[in-house]
Amino acid sequence: MTQQQNQARQLIGESWIRKVLMVNGVSSGGTALLLLLFPGFVGKLTGLDNQAALMGAGAYLLLVVAFTFIIASRKTVSPKAVLTLSVIDFLWLFKSIILLGLSSSFLTAIGTAAVIFVALVVGVFAVFEAVYYNHNRSYDNAR
């Protein structure tokens, strides 16, 4: 194996992204449980009164959390899998922006703040994940 091939197999920031994914998974899991277990409370607090939609978002988040923990627990953190999470997180960010635009008339102040806060946090995760992929995009092809 040449030195160039060996360098292509070394991942940059793997332990760092593993920590980012764990924080992402824990925070998303907490949000999922809040939405699933207390949709009425969340609805009254935020102004989003469709409990079925809140529970659906919670169920969706549990799937994302499972995927996140699977990726983080692998021996090697796959850049392509992290890219998938980055896309999921960027989509959440864009959907949050749409929600703010469409729901601003009935969102409470707490609801607006919560959507903005969660969108910002998820956006930060998405950027970290995209950076990890960018630094390691040749890894999956080199294997």
Side-chain angles (χ1 to χ4, degrees), residues 4-18 21 71-72 74-82 129 131-143:
Q4 185 179 17
Q5 289 172 325
N6 190 32
Q7 287 175 347
R9 291 179 182 261
Q10 294 175 350
L11 291 169
I12 299 168
E14 187 175 26
S15 65
W16 171 77
I17 197 66
R18 198 178 300 277
L21 293 176
I71 293 168
R74 298 287 168 128
K75 183 177 178 182
T76 302
V77 180
S78 166
K80 285 185 181 176
V82 173
E129 293 156 357
V131 167
Y132 176 78
Y133 172 76
N134 187 50
H135 285 300
N136 297 292
R137 64 182 174 265
S138 63
Y139 177 80
D140 287 320
N141 295 331
R143 292 191 314 166

Side-chain angles (χ1 to χ4, degrees), residues 51-123:
Q51 291 186 23
L54 292 171
M55 292 177 72
Y60 165 79
L61 279 175
L62 284 182
L63 293 174
V64 174
V65 167
F67 184 56
T68 302
F69 284 142
I70 289 168
I71 293 168
S73 65
R74 298 287 168 128
K75 183 177 178 182
T76 302
V77 180
S78 166
K80 285 185 181 176
V82 173
L83 176 63
T84 301
L85 281 174
S86 182
V87 169
I88 290 169
D89 285 345
F90 275 121
L91 288 173
W92 184 278
L93 172 65
F94 295 135
K95 289 186 283 185
S96 296
I97 292 168
I98 292 169
L99 176 66
L100 285 170
L102 297 176
S103 306
S104 61
S105 62
F106 57 84
L107 276 175
T108 65
I110 292 174
T112 300
V115 171
I116 291 170
F117 176 75
V118 171
L120 288 173
V121 170
V122 171

Side-chain angles (χ1 to χ4, degrees), residues 26-47:
V26 168
S27 61
S28 297
T31 303
L33 291 176
L34 186 66
L35 293 173
L36 284 169
L37 299 176
F38 307 105
F41 173 74
V42 172
K44 288 177 186 174
L45 193 63
T46 62

